[in-house]
Amino acid sequence: MDIMTSVGLVAGIIVVATMMLLGGDLHLFVSEHAIIIIFGGSIDATMIRFPLGVMLHGLPLGAKFAFSMSRLSARDLVDELARIAEIARKQGPVGLEKVETDEPFLAKGIRYIADGYDMEFIRDNLERDRDNFLCHLDEGQKIYRAIGDCAPAFGMIGTLIGMVQMFANMTDPSKLGPFMATALLATLYGAVVANILTLPIADKLHLKLADEEINRTLIIDGILMIRESKSPTLVREMLIAYLPEKHRGEAEPEPVPA
Amino acid sequence: MDIMTSVGLVAGIIVVATMMLLGGDLHLFVSEHAIIIIFGGSIDATMIRFPLGVMLHGLPLGAKFAFSMSRLSARDLVDELARIAEIARKQGPVGLEKVETDEPFLAKGIRYIADGYDMEFIRDNLERDRDNFLCHLDEGQKIYRAIGDCAPAFGMIGTLIGMVQMFANMTDPSKLGPFMATALLATLYGAVVANILTLPIADKLHLKLADEEINRTLIIDGILMIRESKSPTLVREMLIAYLPEKHRGEAEPEPVPA
Amino acid sequence: MDIMTSVGLVAGIIVVATMMLLGGDLHLFVSEHAIIIIFGGSIDATMIRFPLGVMLHGLPLGAKFAFSMSRLSARDLVDELARIAEIARKQGPVGLEKVETDEPFLAKGIRYIADGYDMEFIRDNLERDRDNFLCHLDEGQKIYRAIGDCAPAFGMIGTLIGMVQMFANMTDPSKLGPFMATALLATLYGAVVANILTLPIADKLHLKLADEEINRTLIIDGILMIRESKSPTLVREMLIAYLPEKHRGEAEPEPVPA
Amino acid sequence: MDIMTSVGLVAGIIVVATMMLLGGDLHLFVSEHAIIIIFGGSIDATMIRFPLGVMLHGLPLGAKFAFSMSRLSARDLVDELARIAEIARKQGPVGLEKVETDEPFLAKGIRYIADGYDMEFIRDNLERDRDNFLCHLDEGQKIYRAIGDCAPAFGMIGTLIGMVQMFANMTDPSKLGPFMATALLATLYGAVVANILTLPIADKLHLKLADEEINRTLIIDGILMIRESKSPTLVREMLIAYLPEKHRGEAEPEPVPA
Amino acid sequence: MDIMTSVGLVAGIIVVATMMLLGGDLHLFVSEHAIIIIFGGSIDATMIRFPLGVMLHGLPLGAKFAFSMSRLSARDLVDELARIAEIARKQGPVGLEKVETDEPFLAKGIRYIADGYDMEFIRDNLERDRDNFLCHLDEGQKIYRAIGDCAPAFGMIGTLIGMVQMFANMTDPSKLGPFMATALLATLYGAVVANILTLPIADKLHLKLADEEINRTLIIDGILMIRESKSPTLVREMLIAYLPEKHRGEAEPEPVPA
């Protein structure tokens, strides 16, 4: 689970709620009008923008990945793959049938080896899986960004509608205040949805996209080396050599005087 | 028919109308002034921006493609082309004369084969058709985006005109409210036209442009292979190999243990 | 003459004027203050931005090309060049002395052939002419865009000046309205100048730049082929082959069964 | 120490404080509400955007580098490396054990030579160090920019919350002023945090990133040449040849008549 | 002297001053508060952004070049270089000692030839000079742009501070106007500084950067040819061939019938 997304989101809501409570009642800030225009409007405009399939895949996939973590870091994956290479070495493909792993994509690769598929079939299938997955994650990211981009505009539309009604009924100036308060809520909702919810999630998904590409490519490379019965040491060394610098972390060898 | 564009648009209008009705009469929000400035202004500015031919082609073509769907997905097209290759194999070019298809571009290609034109002629004509079509679709997209970009500015112009009139006639403060309400309507119309109508349509057309390019290139490749009397299996295999990963969908072969 | 620019501009002014008249007097909207700040300020800031020569060339050239049309489309030019090649073939260079054409750049090329200059001289001079012309047109485009970009800022400056004066003299609240009306006029003028006048013209010049480059390059290629006494058919064929797809239009040959 | 960052920051705070004091009490501008929404909101949104490790590294590293200077300019580094080459020449690797330097990255390189590691090991380790460091500095820069980008939005959210409360309690117009003042403070805080604190720091870090890359690459090149026992003159000459022009400064040789 | 920058700047100030005088006293618009926040804030934020050396070089260099002209156009430089080549031809390097020129960079090149330095030394020194100069001019441009980008933000900060003070002291509504007027002045100052002063100067420097690069490269090429004792005719011809089309101007040879 990606603690940061959840903590950030909960903390953001607490901050906004605290602000609201400090100056009065929370119910002042509940407006079904604002909810209708912000969520209705943003989702409608996003429906026009993207095909149905993209939205049905992208919204839940984005939410899932924004709040969940890769169970294994790139470094852990290398260790895991070296461990599996060890097992494959000692017990042959059959031994892999009992290997358990938390990462479903890795599990799929292991099953392919255990089932004895050939190299090309494994590469084609895993690469197709990876590309499809990255494509869907990218669509998810774009949908959250599109919502974040148009939410403030719908906030403004909601406020304008409220203000027109307010000015049109301005016979009794004493009612002006509450009307104005309600009108401003739409802008407030739009800004909160964009700045606390959707835009940060889109940015997070953008970062995760790069990580997932590295991890899944690593898994494919590792699985293919295990299929070729490469030694665990070689698997570990070659995979570390592929890693971008910042993921190597603990991999730095102790300096040995020459 | 592209349900999403229609549903999104209708839902967007319902959301905005609901907001308006919740706070009073709908007729509060009808303003011929705002309609004149938003539609008049945006279209005038777009007329200066683009040549006449481009506007006359682009606006209807964009509208047509935003609301209609490719009748066939890329995957379906491959099946369709394989089916046609089968017919061409069995019955020769003459058999193609009776083939019916929903896709006019594909129909044109089939007619060329049935009429016995040579490879180069078919390629040149179909590619020219495709390029012209993509160019017009792109122009349509740009026109919708240009309208969406300048509509809010014309909203502001309309509101400024209304406010100048309001302030100039401020002898009777009780009239200030209705004047202000009318002035704000122009900004509201501009925001609605841009955010619910034109910008989402421009984004949708941008996505469709990529799909249409893939589909029409696929059709050209398929038609040329059929003209060369390639076998249906080969046609299917090669076309699938050209497809971007995410369009392959159902094409994933069942894994066969080696 | 480029009808669209004129019609769009006139229609835009009519729309704005209609809006103004619908709510009262037109003279409400005449403000020498706003004229001074918008035109004075925008032109002063543009004077700092560009050298004198560039402004003196760019402003009128831009205006001229925004409102005038290439007399001949790329397709017509090919026909015209084929016609001239025909004459040159039959009557020799001397026959070209009597050829008349509406396009001055083409006329210059014909005169060069008629006067018997050699290939290299003709190519160098025409290419230099074309490059100079495109460079000036591009400068004109940039100047109109620069004015369009800073006009709204000067509108804001004018409005701020007006508001400061208004608030400073706020002893008599009844005068507040007319003062405010005047202050807003500067913002209104800035928005109108940018959105109806300069930005659309800059966009139009940007499109024309591409067309002019195609046309003048076409003329240079055609003139050089005529200088080499190529046959009219060859001239037409080769020039059409150079044309971007969308300009070929009527050039599409009728399909001939093979 | 990077005087400019500190001086600029302190001077910026003095300017703002002076403005506040000139018009009344400073305590008018203290608002725990605004502090909560700006710092709470910006940090929460940034927590969603970046992984925990990146934030924990990036924020302090960015602060440290924004306020500290490279102890040595690129030119000084060349001199320092030439001096170390001199020592290594005369006393051998053992002599380097006593060399002291202010630059930790350089010190690490010297220790590697003194300890007798081979070329490849030294290059690999130093390059990994450099890449890791630049990656973290870049993350720091991005975090400051992300905070600077969203602080004004949270200022607006804070002001909107305050205004809703104000309008909702508008029964007593005499309280409107202080409420409005408090509401505006959130926008003020957001603008100050973005424009005086975070965005300039992000820009400074962006500049330093380029300098650090040059310096650390220079050190790696120098250390490797020293490891190869190149002569001090050669080390100096080759390193200066690598330097970008503007860092050479004092390196310009006096012209010698030929 | 670059008349346009001065004229544009003076005219801009006159336009703004006229606007101010038309509506009342000029002293209404003098506000030490606004001066402090705009100049203090913008310069402080720029101090954080750039190193001290860059600011001390960039600000005066930018000002000098925005208001001064290259004494010689590229075309004039070619003539000047041809004249010097003539002298060098007739009188030898010694004759160059008496040559006078307005362009310091050219003068430096002539002195190098007169002093008998060899080709490589001259090329290295002049190219280093040119690169250093262009780098500093570019830094100057960036500083002016940075000031122009943040001045409006500090205008907003100043206005917000003024408005908070105004609303907090709203017991006497009659004072509201003058307070508001003062508050708005900061926004006005920020907009004027950005739109009339710094952004146009940054744009002008951007244009001059390109011109200076052409001119100085031309001088280096010319000086090197003179050092090689090339004939004046050859110098002129080759330099003109290097010139971008639009700088050739008068260089266009009269057409000679072949």
mmCIF file with all atom_site columns, all heavy atoms in Angstrom, chain D residues 9 13 40-41 56 81 129 139 158 172 176 178 189 233 245 250 256:
data_model
loop_
_atom_site.group_PDB
_atom_site.id
_atom_site.type_symbol
_atom_site.label_atom_id
_atom_site.label_alt_id
_atom_site.label_comp_id
_atom_site.label_asym_id
_atom_site.label_entity_id
_atom_site.label_seq_id
_atom_site.pdbx_PDB_ins_code
_atom_site.Cartn_x
_atom_site.Cartn_y
_atom_site.Cartn_z
_atom_site.occupancy
_atom_site.B_iso_or_equiv
_atom_site.pdbx_formal_charge
_atom_site.auth_seq_id
_atom_site.auth_comp_id
_atom_site.auth_asym_id
_atom_site.auth_atom_id
_atom_site.pdbx_PDB_model_num
ATOM 1   N N   . LEU D 1 9   ? 16.679  36.212 0.427   1.00 0.00 ? 9   LEU D N   1
ATOM 2   C CA  . LEU D 1 9   ? 15.550  35.756 1.234   1.00 0.00 ? 9   LEU D CA  1
ATOM 3   C C   . LEU D 1 9   ? 15.278  36.714 2.395   1.00 0.00 ? 9   LEU D C   1
ATOM 4   O O   . LEU D 1 9   ? 14.135  37.136 2.616   1.00 0.00 ? 9   LEU D O   1
ATOM 5   C CB  . LEU D 1 9   ? 15.866  34.360 1.767   1.00 0.00 ? 9   LEU D CB  1
ATOM 6   C CG  . LEU D 1 9   ? 14.688  33.506 2.205   1.00 0.00 ? 9   LEU D CG  1
ATOM 7   C CD1 . LEU D 1 9   ? 13.657  33.432 1.102   1.00 0.00 ? 9   LEU D CD1 1
ATOM 8   C CD2 . LEU D 1 9   ? 15.174  32.105 2.540   1.00 0.00 ? 9   LEU D CD2 1
ATOM 9   N N   . ILE D 1 13  ? 12.023  39.168 2.924   1.00 0.00 ? 13  ILE D N   1
ATOM 10  C CA  . ILE D 1 13  ? 11.173  39.183 4.127   1.00 0.00 ? 13  ILE D CA  1
ATOM 11  C C   . ILE D 1 13  ? 11.119  40.586 4.720   1.00 0.00 ? 13  ILE D C   1
ATOM 12  O O   . ILE D 1 13  ? 10.059  41.062 5.136   1.00 0.00 ? 13  ILE D O   1
ATOM 13  C CB  . ILE D 1 13  ? 11.705  38.143 5.142   1.00 0.00 ? 13  ILE D CB  1
ATOM 14  C CG1 . ILE D 1 13  ? 11.449  36.734 4.583   1.00 0.00 ? 13  ILE D CG1 1
ATOM 15  C CG2 . ILE D 1 13  ? 11.034  38.322 6.496   1.00 0.00 ? 13  ILE D CG2 1
ATOM 16  C CD1 . ILE D 1 13  ? 12.218  35.656 5.313   1.00 0.00 ? 13  ILE D CD1 1
ATOM 17  N N   . GLY D 1 40  ? 0.089   23.316 5.405   1.00 0.00 ? 40  GLY D N   1
ATOM 18  C CA  . GLY D 1 40  ? -0.572  22.010 5.440   1.00 0.00 ? 40  GLY D CA  1
ATOM 19  C C   . GLY D 1 40  ? -0.945  21.541 4.050   1.00 0.00 ? 40  GLY D C   1
ATOM 20  O O   . GLY D 1 40  ? -0.561  20.451 3.618   1.00 0.00 ? 40  GLY D O   1
ATOM 21  N N   . GLY D 1 41  ? -1.670  22.383 3.334   1.00 0.00 ? 41  GLY D N   1
ATOM 22  C CA  . GLY D 1 41  ? -2.161  21.982 2.020   1.00 0.00 ? 41  GLY D CA  1
ATOM 23  C C   . GLY D 1 41  ? -1.041  21.683 1.044   1.00 0.00 ? 41  GLY D C   1
ATOM 24  O O   . GLY D 1 41  ? -1.040  20.639 0.377   1.00 0.00 ? 41  GLY D O   1
ATOM 25  N N   . LEU D 1 56  ? 11.927  12.998 1.731   1.00 0.00 ? 56  LEU D N   1
ATOM 26  C CA  . LEU D 1 56  ? 12.855  13.088 2.858   1.00 0.00 ? 56  LEU D CA  1
ATOM 27  C C   . LEU D 1 56  ? 14.262  13.442 2.393   1.00 0.00 ? 56  LEU D C   1
ATOM 28  O O   . LEU D 1 56  ? 14.992  14.156 3.071   1.00 0.00 ? 56  LEU D O   1
ATOM 29  C CB  . LEU D 1 56  ? 12.867  11.760 3.637   1.00 0.00 ? 56  LEU D CB  1
ATOM 30  C CG  . LEU D 1 56  ? 11.571  11.468 4.402   1.00 0.00 ? 56  LEU D CG  1
ATOM 31  C CD1 . LEU D 1 56  ? 11.728  10.220 5.251   1.00 0.00 ? 56  LEU D CD1 1
ATOM 32  C CD2 . LEU D 1 56  ? 11.173  12.653 5.278   1.00 0.00 ? 56  LEU D CD2 1
ATOM 33  N N   . LEU D 1 81  ? 43.387  20.133 -8.534  1.00 0.00 ? 81  LEU D N   1
ATOM 34  C CA  . LEU D 1 81  ? 43.720  18.825 -9.106  1.00 0.00 ? 81  LEU D CA  1
ATOM 35  C C   . LEU D 1 81  ? 45.157  18.804 -9.606  1.00 0.00 ? 81  LEU D C   1
ATOM 36  O O   . LEU D 1 81  ? 45.854  17.785 -9.479  1.00 0.00 ? 81  LEU D O   1
ATOM 37  C CB  . LEU D 1 81  ? 42.738  18.486 -10.239 1.00 0.00 ? 81  LEU D CB  1
ATOM 38  C CG  . LEU D 1 81  ? 41.356  18.042 -9.747  1.00 0.00 ? 81  LEU D CG  1
ATOM 39  C CD1 . LEU D 1 81  ? 40.314  18.147 -10.844 1.00 0.00 ? 81  LEU D CD1 1
ATOM 40  C CD2 . LEU D 1 81  ? 41.411  16.599 -9.233  1.00 0.00 ? 81  LEU D CD2 1
ATOM 41  N N   . ASP D 1 129 ? 28.260  7.734  -7.693  1.00 0.00 ? 129 ASP D N   1
ATOM 42  C CA  . ASP D 1 129 ? 28.054  8.785  -6.697  1.00 0.00 ? 129 ASP D CA  1
ATOM 43  C C   . ASP D 1 129 ? 27.522  10.071 -7.323  1.00 0.00 ? 129 ASP D C   1
ATOM 44  O O   . ASP D 1 129 ? 26.558  10.665 -6.847  1.00 0.00 ? 129 ASP D O   1
ATOM 45  C CB  . ASP D 1 129 ? 29.390  9.119  -6.025  1.00 0.00 ? 129 ASP D CB  1
ATOM 46  C CG  . ASP D 1 129 ? 29.532  8.419  -4.702  1.00 0.00 ? 129 ASP D CG  1
ATOM 47  O OD1 . ASP D 1 129 ? 28.981  7.303  -4.576  1.00 0.00 ? 129 ASP D OD1 1
ATOM 48  O OD2 . ASP D 1 129 ? 30.171  8.977  -3.796  1.00 0.00 ? 129 ASP D OD2 1
ATOM 49  N N   . GLU D 1 139 ? 15.530  15.931 -7.860  1.00 0.00 ? 139 GLU D N   1
ATOM 50  C CA  . GLU D 1 139 ? 14.277  15.667 -7.149  1.00 0.00 ? 139 GLU D CA  1
ATOM 51  C C   . GLU D 1 139 ? 13.965  16.798 -6.168  1.00 0.00 ? 139 GLU D C   1
ATOM 52  O O   . GLU D 1 139 ? 12.818  17.241 -6.043  1.00 0.00 ? 139 GLU D O   1
ATOM 53  C CB  . GLU D 1 139 ? 14.367  14.338 -6.413  1.00 0.00 ? 139 GLU D CB  1
ATOM 54  C CG  . GLU D 1 139 ? 14.266  13.127 -7.331  1.00 0.00 ? 139 GLU D CG  1
ATOM 55  C CD  . GLU D 1 139 ? 14.614  11.825 -6.648  1.00 0.00 ? 139 GLU D CD  1
ATOM 56  O OE1 . GLU D 1 139 ? 15.066  11.864 -5.484  1.00 0.00 ? 139 GLU D OE1 1
ATOM 57  O OE2 . GLU D 1 139 ? 14.459  10.770 -7.262  1.00 0.00 ? 139 GLU D OE2 1
ATOM 58  N N   . GLY D 1 158 ? -7.941  28.789 0.785   1.00 0.00 ? 158 GLY D N   1
ATOM 59  C CA  . GLY D 1 158 ? -8.094  29.406 2.103   1.00 0.00 ? 158 GLY D CA  1
ATOM 60  C C   . GLY D 1 158 ? -8.963  30.654 2.043   1.00 0.00 ? 158 GLY D C   1
ATOM 61  O O   . GLY D 1 158 ? -9.841  30.870 2.883   1.00 0.00 ? 158 GLY D O   1
ATOM 62  N N   . ASP D 1 172 ? -24.156 41.067 10.441  1.00 0.00 ? 172 ASP D N   1
ATOM 63  C CA  . ASP D 1 172 ? -23.563 42.305 10.960  1.00 0.00 ? 172 ASP D CA  1
ATOM 64  C C   . ASP D 1 172 ? -22.488 42.824 10.005  1.00 0.00 ? 172 ASP D C   1
ATOM 65  O O   . ASP D 1 172 ? -21.343 42.388 10.051  1.00 0.00 ? 172 ASP D O   1
ATOM 66  C CB  . ASP D 1 172 ? -22.948 42.020 12.347  1.00 0.00 ? 172 ASP D CB  1
ATOM 67  C CG  . ASP D 1 172 ? -22.378 43.301 12.960  1.00 0.00 ? 172 ASP D CG  1
ATOM 68  O OD1 . ASP D 1 172 ? -22.479 44.369 12.309  1.00 0.00 ? 172 ASP D OD1 1
ATOM 69  O OD2 . ASP D 1 172 ? -21.842 43.210 14.061  1.00 0.00 ? 172 ASP D OD2 1
ATOM 70  N N   . LEU D 1 176 ? -17.709 42.570 8.501   1.00 0.00 ? 176 LEU D N   1
ATOM 71  C CA  . LEU D 1 176 ? -17.285 42.117 7.178   1.00 0.00 ? 176 LEU D CA  1
ATOM 72  C C   . LEU D 1 176 ? -15.803 42.395 6.923   1.00 0.00 ? 176 LEU D C   1
ATOM 73  O O   . LEU D 1 176 ? -15.077 41.538 6.402   1.00 0.00 ? 176 LEU D O   1
ATOM 74  C CB  . LEU D 1 176 ? -18.135 42.832 6.125   1.00 0.00 ? 176 LEU D CB  1
ATOM 75  C CG  . LEU D 1 176 ? -18.779 41.965 5.070   1.00 0.00 ? 176 LEU D CG  1
ATOM 76  C CD1 . LEU D 1 176 ? -20.048 42.611 4.560   1.00 0.00 ? 176 LEU D CD1 1
ATOM 77  C CD2 . LEU D 1 176 ? -17.801 41.707 3.962   1.00 0.00 ? 176 LEU D CD2 1
ATOM 78  N N   . PRO D 1 178 ? -12.962 42.851 8.954   1.00 0.00 ? 178 PRO D N   1
ATOM 79  C CA  . PRO D 1 178 ? -11.961 41.964 9.545   1.00 0.00 ? 178 PRO D CA  1
ATOM 80  C C   . PRO D 1 178 ? -12.010 40.547 8.976   1.00 0.00 ? 178 PRO D C   1
ATOM 81  O O   . PRO D 1 178 ? -10.963 39.925 8.733   1.00 0.00 ? 178 PRO D O   1
ATOM 82  C CB  . PRO D 1 178 ? -12.341 41.960 11.028  1.00 0.00 ? 178 PRO D CB  1
ATOM 83  C CG  . PRO D 1 178 ? -13.097 43.231 11.236  1.00 0.00 ? 178 PRO D CG  1
ATOM 84  C CD  . PRO D 1 178 ? -13.793 43.523 9.954   1.00 0.00 ? 178 PRO D CD  1
ATOM 85  N N   . TYR D 1 189 ? -0.306  34.795 1.855   1.00 0.00 ? 189 TYR D N   1
ATOM 86  C CA  . TYR D 1 189 ? 0.695   33.806 2.263   1.00 0.00 ? 189 TYR D CA  1
ATOM 87  C C   . TYR D 1 189 ? 1.105   32.921 1.086   1.00 0.00 ? 189 TYR D C   1
ATOM 88  O O   . TYR D 1 189 ? 2.283   32.638 0.894   1.00 0.00 ? 189 TYR D O   1
ATOM 89  C CB  . TYR D 1 189 ? 0.141   32.910 3.386   1.00 0.00 ? 189 TYR D CB  1
ATOM 90  C CG  . TYR D 1 189 ? 0.244   33.482 4.774   1.00 0.00 ? 189 TYR D CG  1
ATOM 91  C CD1 . TYR D 1 189 ? -0.164  34.783 5.053   1.00 0.00 ? 189 TYR D CD1 1
ATOM 92  C CD2 . TYR D 1 189 ? 0.739   32.725 5.823   1.00 0.00 ? 189 TYR D CD2 1
ATOM 93  C CE1 . TYR D 1 189 ? -0.088  35.300 6.338   1.00 0.00 ? 189 TYR D CE1 1
ATOM 94  C CE2 . TYR D 1 189 ? 0.819   33.238 7.117   1.00 0.00 ? 189 TYR D CE2 1
ATOM 95  C CZ  . TYR D 1 189 ? 0.405   34.517 7.366   1.00 0.00 ? 189 TYR D CZ  1
ATOM 96  O OH  . TYR D 1 189 ? 0.471   35.023 8.637   1.00 0.00 ? 189 TYR D OH  1
ATOM 97  N N   . THR D 1 233 ? 51.132  19.321 -15.438 1.00 0.00 ? 233 THR D N   1
ATOM 98  C CA  . THR D 1 233 ? 50.876  20.257 -16.544 1.00 0.00 ? 233 THR D CA  1
ATOM 99  C C   . THR D 1 233 ? 49.818  19.678 -17.490 1.00 0.00 ? 233 THR D C   1
ATOM 100 O O   . THR D 1 233 ? 48.893  20.374 -17.907 1.00 0.00 ? 233 THR D O   1
ATOM 101 C CB  . THR D 1 233 ? 52.177  20.488 -17.346 1.00 0.00 ? 233 THR D CB  1
ATOM 102 O OG1 . THR D 1 233 ? 53.255  20.540 -16.423 1.00 0.00 ? 233 THR D OG1 1
ATOM 103 C CG2 . THR D 1 233 ? 52.080  21.749 -18.154 1.00 0.00 ? 233 THR D CG2 1
ATOM 104 N N   . GLU D 1 245 ? 33.429  27.503 -21.789 1.00 0.00 ? 245 GLU D N   1
ATOM 105 C CA  . GLU D 1 245 ? 34.126  28.768 -21.930 1.00 0.00 ? 245 GLU D CA  1
ATOM 106 C C   . GLU D 1 245 ? 34.014  29.666 -20.694 1.00 0.00 ? 245 GLU D C   1
ATOM 107 O O   . GLU D 1 245 ? 34.990  30.151 -20.161 1.00 0.00 ? 245 GLU D O   1
ATOM 108 C CB  . GLU D 1 245 ? 33.573  29.498 -23.157 1.00 0.00 ? 245 GLU D CB  1
ATOM 109 C CG  . GLU D 1 245 ? 34.510  30.513 -23.749 1.00 0.00 ? 245 GLU D CG  1
ATOM 110 C CD  . GLU D 1 245 ? 35.851  29.878 -24.047 1.00 0.00 ? 245 GLU D CD  1
ATOM 111 O OE1 . GLU D 1 245 ? 35.984  29.088 -24.987 1.00 0.00 ? 245 GLU D OE1 1
ATOM 112 O OE2 . GLU D 1 245 ? 36.766  30.213 -23.299 1.00 0.00 ? 245 GLU D OE2 1
ATOM 113 N N   . GLU D 1 250 ? 40.068  33.043 -15.406 1.00 0.00 ? 250 GLU D N   1
ATOM 114 C CA  . GLU D 1 250 ? 41.462  33.427 -15.227 1.00 0.00 ? 250 GLU D CA  1
ATOM 115 C C   . GLU D 1 250 ? 42.400  32.553 -16.048 1.00 0.00 ? 250 GLU D C   1
ATOM 116 O O   . GLU D 1 250 ? 43.593  32.794 -16.080 1.00 0.00 ? 250 GLU D O   1
ATOM 117 C CB  . GLU D 1 250 ? 41.858  33.313 -13.756 1.00 0.00 ? 250 GLU D CB  1
ATOM 118 C CG  . GLU D 1 250 ? 40.846  33.867 -12.813 1.00 0.00 ? 250 GLU D CG  1
ATOM 119 C CD  . GLU D 1 250 ? 39.778  32.841 -12.462 1.00 0.00 ? 250 GLU D CD  1
ATOM 120 O OE1 . GLU D 1 250 ? 39.043  32.399 -13.381 1.00 0.00 ? 250 GLU D OE1 1
ATOM 121 O OE2 . GLU D 1 250 ? 39.707  32.461 -11.292 1.00 0.00 ? 250 GLU D OE2 1
ATOM 122 N N   . VAL D 1 256 ? 51.016  35.874 -26.592 1.00 0.00 ? 256 VAL D N   1
ATOM 123 C CA  . VAL D 1 256 ? 52.457  35.923 -26.857 1.00 0.00 ? 256 VAL D CA  1
ATOM 124 C C   . VAL D 1 256 ? 52.652  36.177 -28.345 1.00 0.00 ? 256 VAL D C   1
ATOM 125 O O   . VAL D 1 256 ? 52.213  35.375 -29.167 1.00 0.00 ? 256 VAL D O   1
ATOM 126 C CB  . VAL D 1 256 ? 53.110  34.576 -26.485 1.00 0.00 ? 256 VAL D CB  1
ATOM 127 C CG1 . VAL D 1 256 ? 54.621  34.668 -26.625 1.00 0.00 ? 256 VAL D CG1 1
ATOM 128 C CG2 . VAL D 1 256 ? 52.702  34.151 -25.100 1.00 0.00 ? 256 VAL D CG2 1
#
